[in-house]
Amino acid sequence: MTEPSTEQADDSVITSVSNGVGRIELNRPKLINALSQDMVTHIDDALQAWRDDDAVSLVLVTGRGERGLCAGGDIKAVYNDIVAGSDENAKFWNREYKMNFAISEFPKPYVVIMNGITMGGGVGISGHGSHRIVTDSTKVGMPETGIGLFPDVGGTHLLANAPGELGTHLALTGQPVGAGSAIALGLADHYVPDAQIPDLIADLTAGGDLDTVIGKYTAEAPADELAEAADWINECYAGDEAEAIVAALAAHENPDAQAAAELIATKAPTSVKVTLAAVRNAETMTLAEVLEQDYRVAVTLTELPDLKEGIRAQVIDKDRNPKWSPASLAEVSDAQVQSILTTDHAEKVFS
């Protein structure tokens, strides 16, 4: 017997329940479903409501539009809040990180379709789920060092647990990967061709058995595009000093390693050093501890010049020519990095 559908909609998120499936549809397709504070609130509220609701046996998360699940947080809003001098960014990150943790501990299957662009905050709403499905079009990444931020939303927890130093490579360069690498690195679980996604969603929302439906559509994943790079990545990214890593990459005979050094050199130096330290810390932290660290770092970085400058260069003026301060890795001291990682603020994620 088909259960009645209940639906709640606003401009940015559509939630509904039917046939035991709680659906969360991100609905800002023109912005590749970039997350706003209202969206985070709606998602978190839905998860809290469905935890103990017998009418919901699984959650299905998708993004509307053809370009991807979610491009990350709404960085124009972040920029505007920095300019205004408000505390809205701190409120956003606090609620977002609570939501990330709620996903990781959700007691029912959490199925997410990671098609197209799935970056930054998009990794936060997908990477901690139980059933993470990637497709031909998937591009998963944490590009935050390019705007003066760092891989937050528990991203360093995911990357620190990737094989070898592959996660460190993605964290510092911000480069995205496709379906094959996403699965190999532990960022996803199943590959389903894009053309099969509508049928998979239809079968799930009709009340089909989760394992049976996923098994029906899962195919052999594309090749891991980082497999051949693993040797030089593991060699060059070993250690805890960003300068040494960049020097090793630049000196390596592999042109891809040299290109990685050049790419890291374009990122915010403070972000690169903070990101490396955060990844190393995350190797021995729980997700909750990482998210608490994320909050300390994110709030502190809003008080420094690079985040505002990075967003300006990427999406406000679009000149792609940020002026980082400090301008080089050598100018960023270990003491500064540790201060950013450890400075407490008035609020905490878990209090």
Side-chain angles (χ1 to χ4, degrees):
M1 179 178 178
T2 301
E3 302 170 14
S5 173
T6 61
E7 184 172 291
Q8 176 183 349
D10 67 11
D11 290 336
S12 57
V13 176
I14 298 171
T15 60
S16 62
V17 177
S18 182
N19 296 322
V21 178
R23 288 204 66 179
I24 296 173
E25 298 178 81
L26 309 185
N27 187 35
R28 298 178 84 190
K30 291 182 179 179
L31 298 176
I32 322 179
N33 301 313
L35 293 173
S36 65
Q37 184 162 303
D38 284 345
M39 292 172 73
V40 167
T41 298
H42 285 305
I43 295 166
D44 195 36
D45 286 349
L47 293 177
Q48 298 309 318
W50 292 341
R51 284 183 64 91
D52 301 313
D53 186 346
D54 291 339
V56 176
S57 58
L58 68 87
V59 169
L60 174 62
V61 181
T62 57
R64 291 196 169 184
E66 302 298 321
R67 298 171 67 190
L69 171 67
C70 176
D74 186 341
I75 59 174
K76 281 190 177 180
V78 171
Y79 179 88
N80 291 335
D81 289 336
I82 293 174
V83 171
S86 77
D87 63 352
E88 290 303 306
N89 284 325
K91 292 178 180 177
F92 169 71
W93 281 314
N94 193 286
R95 187 67 185 265
E96 184 180 25
Y97 302 160
K98 285 183 170 71
M99 175 194 70
N100 300 143
F101 190 71
I103 292 168
S104 76
E105 289 211 323
F106 197 70
K108 303 168 184 179
Y110 179 99
V111 185
V112 56
I113 310 297
M114 300 165 65
N115 64 299
I117 294 174
T118 303
M119 298 189 186
V123 174
I125 63 168
S126 59
H128 306 299
S130 62
H131 295 71
R132 304 163 299 176
I133 297 170
V134 286
T135 73
D136 312 274
S137 62
T138 293
K139 292 295 180 186
V140 183
M142 299 293 294
E144 285 81 2
T145 55
I147 59 165
L149 200 57
F150 73 108
D152 64 338
V153 298
T156 56
H157 179 78
L158 296 167
L159 296 173
N161 285 285
E165 295 294 340
L166 297 174
T168 311
H169 171 66
L170 296 189
L172 298 190
T173 64
Q175 286 187 305
V177 295
S181 288
I183 292 174
L185 270 63
L187 303 175
D189 306 297
H190 307 281
Y191 163 73
V192 175
D194 276 309
Q196 297 294 310
I197 292 296
D199 291 337
L200 180 147
I201 292 173
D203 282 1
L204 283 178
T205 54
D209 175 75
L210 174 60
D211 291 336
T212 300
V213 172
I214 289 181
K216 176 181 177 182
Y217 293 105
T218 295
E220 182 178 353
D224 171 11
E225 64 263 41
L226 287 181
E228 293 184 0
D231 286 345
W232 65 258
I233 287 175
N234 291 335
E235 175 187 341
C236 294
Y237 285 91
D240 301 334
E241 294 186 3
E243 292 97 328
I245 288 173
V246 172
L249 290 167
H252 201 279
E253 63 182 13
N254 191 306
D256 291 337
Q258 298 165 24
E262 293 173 3
L263 182 57
I264 294 171
T266 69
K267 310 301 182 182
T270 299
S271 292
V272 169
K273 283 202 164 181
V274 167
T275 294
L276 179 60
V279 170
R280 296 297 186 245
N281 287 350
E283 292 174 0
T284 57
M285 284 179 162
T286 65
L287 176 60
E289 290 169 337
V290 168
L291 290 168
E292 203 70 77
Q293 175 178 263
D294 284 356
Y295 184 70
R296 292 194 298 269
V297 174
V299 174
T300 302
L301 289 180
T302 63
E303 301 166 355
L304 301 178
D306 281 351
L307 181 55
K308 178 183 174 184
E309 171 64 6
I311 299 174
R312 179 207 64 76
Q314 290 296 324
V315 301
I316 305 299
D317 298 334
K318 299 182 181 180
D319 58 34
R320 306 293 194 271
N321 187 32
K323 304 299 183 184
W324 304 123
S325 178
S328 70
L329 291 172
E331 295 174 83
V332 183
S333 71
D334 291 342
Q336 289 172 307
V337 172
Q338 289 307 308
S339 176
I340 292 168
L341 289 165
T342 58
T343 297
D344 280 325
H345 300 277
E347 299 295 327
K348 293 185 182 297
V349 179
F350 308 105
S351 55

